[in-house]
Amino acid sequence: MTQRFIPFALPDIGEEEVSAVSDTLRSLWVTTGPKTREFEHKFVEFLGGGLEAISVNSATAGLHLALEACGIVSGDEVIIPTLTFTATAEVIRYLGANPVFVDCDPQTLNIDIDQVEAKITPKTKAVIPVHFAGLACDMPKLLSIAKQHNLRVIEDAAHTLPSTFNNVMIGQHDSDAIVYSFYATKTITTGEGGMVVTKNPEIAKRCRVMRLHGISRDAFDRYTSTKPAWYYEVVAPGFKYNLTDIASTLGLCQLAKAHRFHQRRAQMAEKYQKALKDLPVQLPPVVADPQTDIHSWHLFVINILPEAKVSRDEFIAKMSEKGIGTSVHFIPLHIQPYWKSEYNLKETDFPHATKYYSTAVSLPLYTKMSDDNQDYVIATIHQILS
Ligand SMILES: *Cc1c(COP(=O)(O)O)cnc(C)c1O
């Protein structure tokens, strides 16, 4: 019998994407151009309007731009959760500022908002919440603390699209900037790519300038009538973070399918929840109120309980023997050698994230996975755990 192979994640790319990207290639406009502008426009529409969108070549680049535009400089402190990908932290170091790590709330796995307040010092300039797995943080609560202490808020929304909190789409809360990822495993993909959205025109302007070598389009526009077409002005040592039209074409196709993708993800998450509820596992946290909140279900994370006859590591190995890919999100940053030693972090200071990590495993959940393959994953988990 041939063994099945079910990878942990796959992008959902159809003939529409192949054909649209081919058209863009044939147009010979391959770098940032009309497709990118259209993608930014459609992205704002998707989030409900009233925003500016600045496309970038990764969420990491977007987080860097957003922090820079918020005026974060060397010596500043930026509060982040320990339960995130290293990109959330590294961008703070790009600017010479220092991340301050906070444990997760064991109920939601999002940053513990009460602890955010406890970690604020005179050097604290910003906070970056991460909507873990696609379950939105309590943004009104976090924003009210940030306002009291005059902190900037940049949301790491890499797992959202779409997620809502209290009926408000992530992207529409009053943060300074919200940053999305279109990495291959995310809910929509452009191969590599990301988007910064903001309601603040100053932040939007600075991100646009710094996205492309610090070349000011304003200076450009102001002079276009009198200066020749080849003329431009550099106003800062910017970066090279622009998104290509090839990627944006892919993004346009994916965005048009995003609601359908989400419906399928939600359906698969519900199926896992029903099928696994009697096993020795902790199921992932869900939204507080399904009437007002949407979980994107970017990830479906379970924890193997102590009464199970296998450890998390054994579980992952047994799944792999059966041809099923899994992953772990995330190895908390306070355990990673660089962050741990550089900031003298101790596991005992992050008890919830440490405990969560020791038993966590992410199950495959993506729109390309067939019902039959999900049934096989479920049956295999039952075999291993019961
Ligand atoms: C994927 C991810 C990022 C980085 O996204 P890129 O587009 O790959 O730069 C940042 N933060 C979180 C929480 C992520 O999961």
Side-chain angles (χ1 to χ4, degrees):
M1 197 187 91
T2 55
Q3 165 99 1
R4 286 197 208 208
F5 176 65
I6 301 171
F8 170 67
L10 277 180
D12 192 339
I13 292 170
E15 286 310 310
E16 299 87 343
E17 280 85 346
V18 171
S19 143
V21 169
S22 301
D23 289 347
T24 295
L25 291 173
R26 288 192 189 96
S27 82
L28 303 185
W29 196 290
V30 290
T31 185
T32 309
K35 290 292 177 189
T36 303
R37 275 192 294 279
E38 190 185 343
F39 184 38
E40 289 173 344
H41 180 76
K42 287 272 163 60
F43 198 80
V44 169
E45 241 174 41
F46 184 92
L47 295 179
L51 296 159
E52 289 191 62
I54 302 97
S55 59
V56 282
N57 57 15
S58 70
T60 307
L63 288 165
H64 183 199
L65 286 184
L67 284 169
E68 200 273 345
C70 283
I72 305 307
V73 293
S74 183
D76 288 346
E77 289 177 0
V78 179
I79 297 175
I80 62 166
T82 184
L83 189 58
T84 185
F85 185 55
T86 194
T88 318
E90 76 193 37
V91 291
I92 299 165
R93 293 297 304 131
Y94 291 0
L95 294 160
N98 294 304
V100 172
F101 303 85
V102 167
D103 201 1
C104 60
D105 174 333
Q107 247 65 60
T108 63
L109 302 176
N110 281 326
I111 193 166
D112 181 334
I113 297 179
D114 296 325
Q115 281 193 50
V116 169
E117 196 153 29
K119 298 254 172 138
I120 296 170
T121 75
K123 289 184 178 172
T124 311
K125 293 289 156 56
V127 54
I128 310 180
V130 177
H131 307 285
F132 184 81
L135 179 67
C137 295
D138 184 340
M139 289 312 298
K141 183 174 174 187
L142 185 66
L143 284 162
S144 121
I145 290 169
K147 200 167 183 181
Q148 278 166 42
H149 297 271
N150 204 19
L151 305 182
R152 302 294 204 131
V153 178
I154 295 160
E155 296 173 52
D156 181 335
H159 297 184
T160 69
L161 205 75
S163 302
T164 67
F165 189 87
N166 275 354
N167 256 335
V168 178
M169 189 81 130
I170 292 305
Q172 289 288 1
H173 293 272
D174 288 325
S175 305
D176 293 279
I178 302 93
V179 183
Y180 296 85
S181 172
F182 310 131
Y183 180 66
T185 59
K186 301 284 159 64
T187 56
I188 70 166
T189 188
T190 59
E192 300 281 358
M195 193 77 79
V196 180
V197 305
T198 178
K199 290 179 184 167
N200 180 328
E202 292 302 313
I203 291 176
K205 189 173 155 191
R206 181 68 180 179
C207 287
R208 274 203 194 93
V209 167
M210 296 307 280
R211 167 177 68 175
L212 200 65
H213 304 297
I215 292 173
S216 169
R217 199 130 39 100
D218 272 7
F220 222 160
D221 292 345
R222 212 180 308 140
Y223 295 118
T224 38
S225 53
T226 52
K227 299 278 179 186
W230 48 262
Y231 184 79
Y232 59 88
E233 286 186 355
V234 175
V235 298
F239 310 105
K240 185 65 170 39
Y241 284 167
N242 56 308
L243 192 68
T244 68
D245 264 24
I246 301 171
S248 295
T249 302
L250 196 43
L252 279 164
C253 295
Q254 294 268 295
L255 193 62
K257 299 176 181 178
H259 285 301
R260 184 157 63 66
F261 284 170
H262 177 252
Q263 277 172 5
R264 174 70 181 149
R265 282 184 177 275
Q267 185 189 44
M268 294 177 83
E270 201 180 326
K271 186 169 186 174
Y272 270 143
Q273 258 149 346
K274 286 197 178 124
L276 306 177
K277 69 178 191 320
D278 296 326
L279 292 173
V281 299
Q282 168 80 50
L283 291 172
V286 295
V287 295
D289 181 356
Q291 297 304 309
T292 59
D293 295 345
I294 293 170
H295 191 313
S296 75
W297 292 112
H298 164 54
L299 299 175
F300 192 95
V301 178
I302 60 170
N303 287 81
I304 309 296
L305 293 175
E307 57 265 35
K309 47 185 190 185
V310 295
S311 69
R312 185 271 312 271
D313 291 3
E314 287 162 347
F315 177 82
I316 289 176
K318 282 180 184 290
M319 290 287 276
S320 172
E321 278 168 28
K322 298 287 184 180
I324 301 169
T326 56
S327 190
V328 175
H329 296 89
F330 292 96
I331 303 172
L333 298 181
H334 71 269
I335 290 170
Q336 291 291 0
Y338 171 77
W339 301 113
K340 182 187 161 100
S341 71
E342 194 72 12
Y343 292 93
N344 195 21
L345 306 173
K346 300 196 171 42
E347 291 192 10
T348 48
D349 291 334
F350 306 92
H352 299 305
T354 303
K355 180 164 181 268
Y356 158 84
Y357 163 62
S358 66
T359 63
V361 53
S362 304
L363 301 180
L365 192 165
Y366 46 96
T367 54
K368 273 278 193 199
M369 188 156 93
S370 64
D371 285 331
D372 184 49
N373 276 349
Q374 191 183 11
D375 290 340
Y376 173 77
V377 172
I378 290 166
T380 307
I381 297 172
H382 273 265
Q383 248 177 46
I384 296 170
L385 292 176
S386 52

